[in-house]
Amino acid sequence: MPEDDLADEASHLTIDGDNPNGDDIGFAAKRLAHEARKTLSSGGGSRGIRDVTQEFAAAAKLLQPGQLVKDEYFTLFEAVGALEIMDPKMDSGYVPPGDTLEPDFDVCKGLPAEQVLWIMDELLRLTAVWHDGYPLSQTIFTSLHVDRLLSPDNRPPYHLFYGDTALLVMTTEQRLVHIVLRAYCIALVKSCALVLHTIQSQNFYEEEDFVTHLFGRELLPSTGANDAVKLIDEAVKFLDGADVDKVMRTALLERLQFARTYISLLVSDSADWNTLAAMGRSAETHKLAQPILEAFSDKVQRQLATSTPPRPMIIISWDEALERWKAICADIVEADRLTCFDVCQSPHALHRAIWAFAYREPQPNTFARAYLQTILFASEQITEGMAFFDLMLTDMRDLVLAGDVLVDPHSFLVEIPSDPRHKCSRIVETFMDKAFDEYMNLYRMVCQNRCRIRRTFTQSVAIFDSLETEAMRTDAELDGITPGIVLAGEDGPGNVTLTPLTSWVKYYKLQTMAWTIQLGFETDIYLPHELSMMYWYLMVFARRERKLLEHIERFLAARQKTFVSSRDARQDDEAAASQEWLAVLHKQADFTALLSSALWQVSELLMTLCILQPAKRDYAQEQLLYDVRMKSYLGIAHDPIPTLEEYKSATQSDRSIEDTCNNINGTIADAKSCLAYMKKTTPEQGKYIGTGEQWKREIKQLETTCVAVAVQTSQLRRVADKHGKLLGAPRDQSLKGAVEVSIPPAGSRYHDWWVVPQIREKKT
Amino acid sequence: MESVQDVQYLDDLLNKTLHLHITDGRMFVGQLKCTDNERNIILAMTHEYRQPSPADVKLAAERHEKGGLPGNVKVDMRKRFLGLVVVPGQYIEKMEVEGPRTPHLTLEADAFDVLTSR
């Protein structure tokens, strides 16, 4: 039978590839085949229907209570997600007794200007809520006028009425609905389609960030954005000559202009969203609007294709909605500014710009972040004259190979096959190809929501580590063609070379490792008693980064000595700029190492003094907990992370409280001097062009954090002194019961990446 | 003995497409995944169908006339996709299964005929 053949074929479906989920896919394929076989085994092509009511009832009655007849692959876990029909909380199609299926409102009837104004403002409000990520079924689709326009029964050109009523002579009030309100609705709906297109063309997370579900409706496919603009223009023309009160006319025209500007901005590539923000001032006329609540209803959900239970309409105030609109416009304008030509010339400056965008308050919404991604990734280049390849090459040049012929763009143009520059360029290109995706992720992933930034970076760590293997191989190959500078080893005998590509990958690997921990503090994934260990690891990673930067700086200095003084100044300038920047990076790594050292010592002291303790867990084993927490870092092959034993042996529990406090203060003082250095850095030196404000603000926050650490330390010292425990070894002491500690949550810290425990003496 | 036979009957219906008509007039069409002795039914890939309203009928008739089409007016039932649903046995009035049968009974599930008022 042909159906059996199809079922057989389905069962032979295999999916190739070294897939860790191979078992799951195999299982899914088997299930698919099984279901296909059963569905199709009803045989024949004709879909006949057979009444089985009595037979089924009789058969079911013979089952034991609680006995289930179910498909072998169907799990009860899945069953939990089933919508229960006739339960008002789950069945969106349930009509309570006495209620009607559809709202009793005639969308074709004429309305006074005040009510039309209210509907338009209500739609503005709902569009702002939709931008926040709420589904259309709870926002724009609840408008009965929009519902009619989008109804599956409707046909282009999408009027509110069906049939030939167009030929009727309309009153002014009817025209307000059929010309003005209709044009407005169509423009807003097309704008939704454009926003959705932008969001879905870029990276985002469904349900977490935004709901793109259209509930079985289409967004007026036969009408384009230009058609919508034309309709608005016609509505404006009508209003100009209409018999409407002057103030109301102005108000309605403002709304139409808003919709027109909004959709025009979405369609054009380079437009000023400030113009839309300026319209927020039209809020004044909102007071004139007369509510007409019947024009909106959640009953529309009864007819929408939805696999979810019925959901309420969303309520935010008109003022809040205006604030949202202002924020969206401000974010878009800032996204344009942060990715201007000058910023894009420096990969690091661009990187800082994207982080600055992500850390705007309030956090930019999904559309704004998709807009930023579109600017960066939608075309083949970052900006005019800067292809992705150029960006990456510049990055390598700025960081590890300033003034070196290896990454000189001209080297890549050499065509003579025997020329070492030609050979090396091809090798470098091959390596860059391999590193491309993960490198671009450094930019793209920062455009996601905070939790996802952390999660993707934990995965990046492993990828960078395997790239490092590739880099080592490539460096060896390059060194064979054009031997690099050799210097005496930094620690121990023997010589070392720069291994530029390896150093470059290592830098980003270490930087990503540090970010994952710091984002972990921000997203509150560590328990209070884990602060000590995480700060220790952050310190280790920062120290390694500092050491790596020292290594690179040594070779830069050596390379600078080889520059022929008669050569063009470009090489010198490049090297000088890189030197200045590396010095800044060095200071930053230094700072991170110092502050995390201070906080490690603080938290460790609190633990040793029994002020901060993990909850009692009888079955928790230290090594297992460690393995789970450090999972993302355990697989690192190159410079593996210190083990749990190594961490434990780093504890300072035999030093007196006084000594520890002194040490912390000394560390903080050093950290502060790093900040002083960074304060004096220019945007060119620090490569923070375009983000000067954020740079200054962050330094201020870090200074405050340093002061806070010193304050808490002196608190602790004071209490210890009071109890006479200042001088003995901490492990023999306990201040339990004498001191309270609280951990400030993210949002109420001086800097969200640094958790400073708040120490308070308990009053007896 | 009988129970085993009838369990087999129900088992044979698994993954077949059922049409469930419930007390409020709606119809649910989906693949049978699970049932129990209270006749509670879990359907997958379910579509919900509603009888067309008088307004729907009127609109269809108007369009039919305007288009100058011959014969009876066909009014589609309103249909929407729901996914996985469970229909409590107490609300089921009629149950049908799709399958091979007498060929002349090709009742299309998503339309029903209405005679024009002419």
Side-chain angles (χ1 to χ4, degrees), chain A residues 720-751:
Chain A
D721 198 18
K722 200 162 155 188
H723 292 254
K725 302 199 176 178
L726 205 54
L727 296 168
R731 102 180 121 226
D732 302 325
Q733 320 278 9
S734 170
L735 282 176
K736 186 173 180 181
V739 175
E740 261 179 351
V741 67
S742 67
I743 308 293
S748 55
R749 301 174 193 157
Y750 302 110
H751 188 300

PDB file of all heavy atoms in Angstrom, chain A residues 720-751:
ATOM      1  N   ALA A 720      35.393  43.297  65.431  1.00  0.00           N
ATOM      2  CA  ALA A 720      36.356  42.289  65.893  1.00  0.00           C
ATOM      3  C   ALA A 720      37.150  42.830  67.082  1.00  0.00           C
ATOM      4  O   ALA A 720      37.390  42.125  68.069  1.00  0.00           O
ATOM      5  CB  ALA A 720      37.277  41.901  64.745  1.00  0.00           C
ATOM      6  N   ASP A 721      37.553  44.070  66.976  1.00  0.00           N
ATOM      7  CA  ASP A 721      38.316  44.708  68.050  1.00  0.00           C
ATOM      8  C   ASP A 721      37.506  44.717  69.329  1.00  0.00           C
ATOM      9  O   ASP A 721      37.981  44.392  70.416  1.00  0.00           O
ATOM     10  CB  ASP A 721      38.666  46.139  67.610  1.00  0.00           C
ATOM     11  CG  ASP A 721      39.805  46.715  68.428  1.00  0.00           C
ATOM     12  OD1 ASP A 721      40.527  45.915  69.058  1.00  0.00           O
ATOM     13  OD2 ASP A 721      39.956  47.937  68.427  1.00  0.00           O
ATOM     14  N   LYS A 722      36.235  45.096  69.168  1.00  0.00           N
ATOM     15  CA  LYS A 722      35.328  45.174  70.307  1.00  0.00           C
ATOM     16  C   LYS A 722      35.261  43.837  71.039  1.00  0.00           C
ATOM     17  O   LYS A 722      35.183  43.778  72.264  1.00  0.00           O
ATOM     18  CB  LYS A 722      33.934  45.535  69.775  1.00  0.00           C
ATOM     19  CG  LYS A 722      33.021  46.112  70.818  1.00  0.00           C
ATOM     20  CD  LYS A 722      31.876  46.839  70.123  1.00  0.00           C
ATOM     21  CE  LYS A 722      30.666  46.875  71.047  1.00  0.00           C
ATOM     22  NZ  LYS A 722      29.492  47.402  70.350  1.00  0.00           N
ATOM     23  N   HIS A 723      35.270  42.754  70.242  1.00  0.00           N
ATOM     24  CA  HIS A 723      35.201  41.437  70.863  1.00  0.00           C
ATOM     25  C   HIS A 723      36.571  40.863  71.170  1.00  0.00           C
ATOM     26  O   HIS A 723      36.696  39.710  71.534  1.00  0.00           O
ATOM     27  CB  HIS A 723      34.417  40.479  69.951  1.00  0.00           C
ATOM     28  CG  HIS A 723      32.964  40.815  69.848  1.00  0.00           C
ATOM     29  ND1 HIS A 723      31.982  40.096  70.465  1.00  0.00           N
ATOM     30  CD2 HIS A 723      32.342  41.837  69.209  1.00  0.00           C
ATOM     31  CE1 HIS A 723      30.792  40.639  70.196  1.00  0.00           C
ATOM     32  NE2 HIS A 723      30.988  41.707  69.441  1.00  0.00           N
ATOM     33  N   GLY A 724      37.596  41.689  70.976  1.00  0.00           N
ATOM     34  CA  GLY A 724      38.952  41.262  71.322  1.00  0.00           C
ATOM     35  C   GLY A 724      39.503  40.182  70.409  1.00  0.00           C
ATOM     36  O   GLY A 724      40.363  39.408  70.799  1.00  0.00           O
ATOM     37  N   LYS A 725      38.998  40.125  69.163  1.00  0.00           N
ATOM     38  CA  LYS A 725      39.437  39.030  68.301  1.00  0.00           C
ATOM     39  C   LYS A 725      40.343  39.513  67.176  1.00  0.00           C
ATOM     40  O   LYS A 725      40.612  38.800  66.229  1.00  0.00           O
ATOM     41  CB  LYS A 725      38.215  38.349  67.699  1.00  0.00           C
ATOM     42  CG  LYS A 725      37.303  37.841  68.762  1.00  0.00           C
ATOM     43  CD  LYS A 725      36.352  36.795  68.269  1.00  0.00           C
ATOM     44  CE  LYS A 725      35.559  36.318  69.485  1.00  0.00           C
ATOM     45  NZ  LYS A 725      34.580  35.347  69.192  1.00  0.00           N
ATOM     46  N   LEU A 726      40.802  40.727  67.343  1.00  0.00           N
ATOM     47  CA  LEU A 726      41.493  41.310  66.210  1.00  0.00           C
ATOM     48  C   LEU A 726      42.801  40.611  65.876  1.00  0.00           C
ATOM     49  O   LEU A 726      43.210  40.542  64.727  1.00  0.00           O
ATOM     50  CB  LEU A 726      41.759  42.794  66.513  1.00  0.00           C
ATOM     51  CG  LEU A 726      41.914  43.727  65.332  1.00  0.00           C
ATOM     52  CD1 LEU A 726      40.743  43.624  64.390  1.00  0.00           C
ATOM     53  CD2 LEU A 726      42.048  45.156  65.820  1.00  0.00           C
ATOM     54  N   LEU A 727      43.475  40.110  66.895  1.00  0.00           N
ATOM     55  CA  LEU A 727      44.846  39.680  66.649  1.00  0.00           C
ATOM     56  C   LEU A 727      45.025  38.182  66.438  1.00  0.00           C
ATOM     57  O   LEU A 727      45.990  37.750  65.847  1.00  0.00           O
ATOM     58  CB  LEU A 727      45.753  40.140  67.809  1.00  0.00           C
ATOM     59  CG  LEU A 727      45.826  41.676  67.908  1.00  0.00           C
ATOM     60  CD1 LEU A 727      46.471  42.117  69.209  1.00  0.00           C
ATOM     61  CD2 LEU A 727      46.599  42.232  66.728  1.00  0.00           C
ATOM     62  N   GLY A 728      44.091  37.375  66.893  1.00  0.00           N
ATOM     63  CA  GLY A 728      44.260  35.927  66.735  1.00  0.00           C
ATOM     64  C   GLY A 728      43.999  35.490  65.308  1.00  0.00           C
ATOM     65  O   GLY A 728      43.547  36.270  64.482  1.00  0.00           O
ATOM     66  N   ALA A 729      44.298  34.221  65.000  1.00  0.00           N
ATOM     67  CA  ALA A 729      44.027  33.683  63.658  1.00  0.00           C
ATOM     68  C   ALA A 729      42.524  33.510  63.483  1.00  0.00           C
ATOM     69  O   ALA A 729      41.858  32.994  64.386  1.00  0.00           O
ATOM     70  CB  ALA A 729      44.736  32.350  63.467  1.00  0.00           C
ATOM     71  N   PRO A 730      41.988  33.918  62.357  1.00  0.00           N
ATOM     72  CA  PRO A 730      40.537  33.887  62.150  1.00  0.00           C
ATOM     73  C   PRO A 730      39.934  32.504  62.296  1.00  0.00           C
ATOM     74  O   PRO A 730      38.804  32.363  62.748  1.00  0.00           O
ATOM     75  CB  PRO A 730      40.341  34.398  60.718  1.00  0.00           C
ATOM     76  CG  PRO A 730      41.586  35.097  60.370  1.00  0.00           C
ATOM     77  CD  PRO A 730      42.683  34.511  61.197  1.00  0.00           C
ATOM     78  N   ARG A 731      40.691  31.486  61.924  1.00  0.00           N
ATOM     79  CA  ARG A 731      40.042  30.183  61.943  1.00  0.00           C
ATOM     80  C   ARG A 731      39.754  29.742  63.375  1.00  0.00           C
ATOM     81  O   ARG A 731      38.942  28.864  63.602  1.00  0.00           O
ATOM     82  CB  ARG A 731      40.901  29.173  61.162  1.00  0.00           C
ATOM     83  CG  ARG A 731      41.700  28.268  62.040  1.00  0.00           C
ATOM     84  CD  ARG A 731      42.552  27.268  61.328  1.00  0.00           C
ATOM     85  NE  ARG A 731      43.926  27.492  61.710  1.00  0.00           N
ATOM     86  CZ  ARG A 731      44.909  27.533  60.843  1.00  0.00           C
ATOM     87  NH1 ARG A 731      44.668  27.361  59.561  1.00  0.00           N
ATOM     88  NH2 ARG A 731      46.131  27.753  61.242  1.00  0.00           N
ATOM     89  N   ASP A 732      40.409  30.386  64.326  1.00  0.00           N
ATOM     90  CA  ASP A 732      40.119  30.045  65.711  1.00  0.00           C
ATOM     91  C   ASP A 732      39.050  30.945  66.299  1.00  0.00           C
ATOM     92  O   ASP A 732      38.696  30.813  67.459  1.00  0.00           O
ATOM     93  CB  ASP A 732      41.388  30.187  66.571  1.00  0.00           C
ATOM     94  CG  ASP A 732      42.515  29.317  66.051  1.00  0.00           C
ATOM     95  OD1 ASP A 732      42.192  28.217  65.553  1.00  0.00           O
ATOM     96  OD2 ASP A 732      43.675  29.731  66.113  1.00  0.00           O
ATOM     97  N   GLN A 733      38.606  31.907  65.514  1.00  0.00           N
ATOM     98  CA  GLN A 733      37.646  32.873  66.033  1.00  0.00           C
ATOM     99  C   GLN A 733      36.285  32.620  65.411  1.00  0.00           C
ATOM    100  O   GLN A 733      36.157  31.972  64.397  1.00  0.00           O
ATOM    101  CB  GLN A 733      38.075  34.301  65.656  1.00  0.00           C
ATOM    102  CG  GLN A 733      39.531  34.586  65.752  1.00  0.00           C
ATOM    103  CD  GLN A 733      39.942  34.898  67.167  1.00  0.00           C
ATOM    104  OE1 GLN A 733      39.137  34.739  68.087  1.00  0.00           O
ATOM    105  NE2 GLN A 733      41.167  35.340  67.330  1.00  0.00           N
ATOM    106  N   SER A 734      35.347  33.227  66.031  1.00  0.00           N
ATOM    107  CA  SER A 734      34.032  33.239  65.396  1.00  0.00           C
ATOM    108  C   SER A 734      33.322  34.496  65.838  1.00  0.00           C
ATOM    109  O   SER A 734      33.330  34.841  67.016  1.00  0.00           O
ATOM    110  CB  SER A 734      33.225  32.007  65.801  1.00  0.00           C
ATOM    111  OG  SER A 734      31.895  32.161  65.364  1.00  0.00           O
ATOM    112  N   LEU A 735      32.760  35.191  64.918  1.00  0.00           N
ATOM    113  CA  LEU A 735      31.963  36.371  65.263  1.00  0.00           C
ATOM    114  C   LEU A 735      30.499  36.090  64.979  1.00  0.00           C
ATOM    115  O   LEU A 735      29.694  36.987  64.804  1.00  0.00           O
ATOM    116  CB  LEU A 735      32.433  37.600  64.458  1.00  0.00           C
ATOM    117  CG  LEU A 735      33.706  38.254  64.977  1.00  0.00           C
ATOM    118  CD1 LEU A 735      34.142  39.390  64.058  1.00  0.00           C
ATOM    119  CD2 LEU A 735      33.490  38.799  66.383  1.00  0.00           C
ATOM    120  N   LYS A 736      30.202  34.815  64.927  1.00  0.00           N
ATOM    121  CA  LYS A 736      28.829  34.438  64.618  1.00  0.00           C
ATOM    122  C   LYS A 736      27.912  34.993  65.680  1.00  0.00           C
ATOM    123  O   LYS A 736      28.185  34.899  66.871  1.00  0.00           O
ATOM    124  CB  LYS A 736      28.733  32.915  64.608  1.00  0.00           C
ATOM    125  CG  LYS A 736      27.401  32.378  64.157  1.00  0.00           C
ATOM    126  CD  LYS A 736      27.474  30.865  64.032  1.00  0.00           C
ATOM    127  CE  LYS A 736      26.154  30.301  63.575  1.00  0.00           C
ATOM    128  NZ  LYS A 736      26.225  28.850  63.475  1.00  0.00           N
ATOM    129  N   GLY A 737      26.812  35.583  65.260  1.00  0.00           N
ATOM    130  CA  GLY A 737      25.866  36.141  66.217  1.00  0.00           C
ATOM    131  C   GLY A 737      26.178  37.583  66.559  1.00  0.00           C
ATOM    132  O   GLY A 737      25.303  38.317  67.014  1.00  0.00           O
ATOM    133  N   ALA A 738      27.431  37.978  66.334  1.00  0.00           N
ATOM    134  CA  ALA A 738      27.770  39.360  66.651  1.00  0.00           C
ATOM    135  C   ALA A 738      27.596  40.262  65.451  1.00  0.00           C
ATOM    136  O   ALA A 738      27.466  41.476  65.581  1.00  0.00           O
ATOM    137  CB  ALA A 738      29.214  39.432  67.131  1.00  0.00           C
ATOM    138  N   VAL A 739      27.630  39.637  64.266  1.00  0.00           N
ATOM    139  CA  VAL A 739      27.616  40.430  63.028  1.00  0.00           C
ATOM    140  C   VAL A 739      26.568  39.889  62.068  1.00  0.00           C
ATOM    141  O   VAL A 739      26.384  38.688  61.955  1.00  0.00           O
ATOM    142  CB  VAL A 739      29.009  40.372  62.345  1.00  0.00           C
ATOM    143  CG1 VAL A 739      28.975  41.085  61.015  1.00  0.00           C
ATOM    144  CG2 VAL A 739      30.060  40.979  63.252  1.00  0.00           C
ATOM    145  N   GLU A 740      25.906  40.809  61.416  1.00  0.00           N
ATOM    146  CA  GLU A 740      24.948  40.454  60.354  1.00  0.00           C
ATOM    147  C   GLU A 740      25.519  40.876  59.028  1.00  0.00           C
ATOM    148  O   GLU A 740      26.102  41.954  58.930  1.00  0.00           O
ATOM    149  CB  GLU A 740      23.665  41.260  60.548  1.00  0.00           C
ATOM    150  CG  GLU A 740      22.571  40.526  61.219  1.00  0.00           C
ATOM    151  CD  GLU A 740      21.352  41.400  61.403  1.00  0.00           C
ATOM    152  OE1 GLU A 740      21.411  42.622  61.156  1.00  0.00           O
ATOM    153  OE2 GLU A 740      20.346  40.842  61.823  1.00  0.00           O
ATOM    154  N   VAL A 741      25.294  40.060  58.006  1.00  0.00           N
ATOM    155  CA  VAL A 741      25.743  40.492  56.679  1.00  0.00           C
ATOM    156  C   VAL A 741      24.575  40.403  55.696  1.00  0.00           C
ATOM    157  O   VAL A 741      23.771  39.477  55.758  1.00  0.00           O
ATOM    158  CB  VAL A 741      26.937  39.638  56.197  1.00  0.00           C
ATOM    159  CG1 VAL A 741      26.516  38.196  55.941  1.00  0.00           C
ATOM    160  CG2 VAL A 741      27.570  40.224  54.962  1.00  0.00           C
ATOM    161  N   SER A 742      24.469  41.392  54.834  1.00  0.00           N
ATOM    162  CA  SER A 742      23.447  41.319  53.784  1.00  0.00           C
ATOM    163  C   SER A 742      24.112  41.553  52.429  1.00  0.00           C
ATOM    164  O   SER A 742      25.070  42.323  52.316  1.00  0.00           O
ATOM    165  CB  SER A 742      22.349  42.359  54.008  1.00  0.00           C
ATOM    166  OG  SER A 742      22.865  43.660  53.834  1.00  0.00           O
ATOM    167  N   ILE A 743      23.609  40.863  51.449  1.00  0.00           N
ATOM    168  CA  ILE A 743      24.180  40.950  50.099  1.00  0.00           C
ATOM    169  C   ILE A 743      23.264  41.822  49.249  1.00  0.00           C
ATOM    170  O   ILE A 743      22.113  41.457  49.015  1.00  0.00           O
ATOM    171  CB  ILE A 743      24.279  39.553  49.462  1.00  0.00           C
ATOM    172  CG1 ILE A 743      24.993  38.574  50.394  1.00  0.00           C
ATOM    173  CG2 ILE A 743      24.941  39.617  48.112  1.00  0.00           C
ATOM    174  CD1 ILE A 743      26.444  38.884  50.618  1.00  0.00           C
ATOM    175  N   PRO A 744      23.728  42.980  48.815  1.00  0.00           N
ATOM    176  CA  PRO A 744      22.849  43.832  48.000  1.00  0.00           C
ATOM    177  C   PRO A 744      22.537  43.177  46.664  1.00  0.00           C
ATOM    178  O   PRO A 744      23.434  42.657  45.990  1.00  0.00           O
ATOM    179  CB  PRO A 744      23.685  45.110  47.803  1.00  0.00           C
ATOM    180  CG  PRO A 744      25.065  44.771  48.172  1.00  0.00           C
ATOM    181  CD  PRO A 744      25.056  43.554  49.021  1.00  0.00           C
ATOM    182  N   PRO A 745      21.255  43.185  46.280  1.00  0.00           N
ATOM    183  CA  PRO A 745      20.893  42.584  44.995  1.00  0.00           C
ATOM    184  C   PRO A 745      21.277  43.493  43.829  1.00  0.00           C
ATOM    185  O   PRO A 745      21.520  44.685  44.028  1.00  0.00           O
ATOM    186  CB  PRO A 745      19.372  42.454  45.085  1.00  0.00           C
ATOM    187  CG  PRO A 745      18.958  43.515  46.025  1.00  0.00           C
ATOM    188  CD  PRO A 745      20.101  43.749  46.968  1.00  0.00           C
ATOM    189  N   ALA A 746      21.322  42.919  42.629  1.00  0.00           N
ATOM    190  CA  ALA A 746      21.636  43.703  41.444  1.00  0.00           C
ATOM    191  C   ALA A 746      20.589  44.801  41.301  1.00  0.00           C
ATOM    192  O   ALA A 746      19.419  44.573  41.530  1.00  0.00           O
ATOM    193  CB  ALA A 746      21.641  42.814  40.212  1.00  0.00           C
ATOM    194  N   GLY A 747      21.031  45.986  40.925  1.00  0.00           N
ATOM    195  CA  GLY A 747      20.111  47.112  40.827  1.00  0.00           C
ATOM    196  C   GLY A 747      20.315  48.056  41.991  1.00  0.00           C
ATOM    197  O   GLY A 747      20.064  49.249  41.886  1.00  0.00           O
ATOM    198  N   SER A 748      20.778  47.527  43.130  1.00  0.00           N
ATOM    199  CA  SER A 748      21.036  48.413  44.265  1.00  0.00           C
ATOM    200  C   SER A 748      22.504  48.363  44.661  1.00  0.00           C
ATOM    201  O   SER A 748      22.871  48.565  45.808  1.00  0.00           O
ATOM    202  CB  SER A 748      20.141  48.051  45.452  1.00  0.00           C
ATOM    203  OG  SER A 748      20.302  46.699  45.772  1.00  0.00           O
ATOM    204  N   ARG A 749      23.357  48.057  43.705  1.00  0.00           N
ATOM    205  CA  ARG A 749      24.800  48.092  43.965  1.00  0.00           C
ATOM    206  C   ARG A 749      25.386  49.330  43.302  1.00  0.00           C
ATOM    207  O   ARG A 749      24.784  49.909  42.409  1.00  0.00           O
ATOM    208  CB  ARG A 749      25.481  46.849  43.368  1.00  0.00           C
ATOM    209  CG  ARG A 749      24.957  45.547  43.922  1.00  0.00           C
ATOM    210  CD  ARG A 749      25.561  44.356  43.190  1.00  0.00           C
ATOM    211  NE  ARG A 749      24.820  43.145  43.513  1.00  0.00           N
ATOM    212  CZ  ARG A 749      24.798  42.054  42.746  1.00  0.00           C
ATOM    213  NH1 ARG A 749      25.481  42.025  41.609  1.00  0.00           N
ATOM    214  NH2 ARG A 749      24.102  41.002  43.124  1.00  0.00           N
ATOM    215  N   TYR A 750      26.585  49.707  43.748  1.00  0.00           N
ATOM    216  CA  TYR A 750      27.234  50.870  43.134  1.00  0.00           C
ATOM    217  C   TYR A 750      27.589  50.547  41.690  1.00  0.00           C
ATOM    218  O   TYR A 750      27.482  51.370  40.812  1.00  0.00           O
ATOM    219  CB  TYR A 750      28.474  51.272  43.921  1.00  0.00           C
ATOM    220  CG  TYR A 750      28.138  51.587  45.375  1.00  0.00           C
ATOM    221  CD1 TYR A 750      28.542  50.754  46.397  1.00  0.00           C
ATOM    222  CD2 TYR A 750      27.372  52.703  45.698  1.00  0.00           C
ATOM    223  CE1 TYR A 750      28.209  51.023  47.714  1.00  0.00           C
ATOM    224  CE2 TYR A 750      27.036  52.984  47.017  1.00  0.00           C
ATOM    225  CZ  TYR A 750      27.451  52.141  48.011  1.00  0.00           C
ATOM    226  OH  TYR A 750      27.117  52.402  49.307  1.00  0.00           O
ATOM    227  N   HIS A 751      28.033  49.292  41.516  1.00  0.00           N
ATOM    228  CA  HIS A 751      28.298  48.794  40.166  1.00  0.00           C
ATOM    229  C   HIS A 751      27.808  47.353  40.172  1.00  0.00           C
ATOM    230  O   HIS A 751      28.245  46.565  41.019  1.00  0.00           O
ATOM    231  CB  HIS A 751      29.800  48.854  39.868  1.00  0.00           C
ATOM    232  CG  HIS A 751      30.148  48.543  38.434  1.00  0.00           C
ATOM    233  ND1 HIS A 751      29.853  47.338  37.839  1.00  0.00           N
ATOM    234  CD2 HIS A 751      30.751  49.294  37.486  1.00  0.00           C
ATOM    235  CE1 HIS A 751      30.269  47.361  36.577  1.00  0.00           C
ATOM    236  NE2 HIS A 751      30.816  48.532  36.337  1.00  0.00           N
TER     237      HIS A 751
END
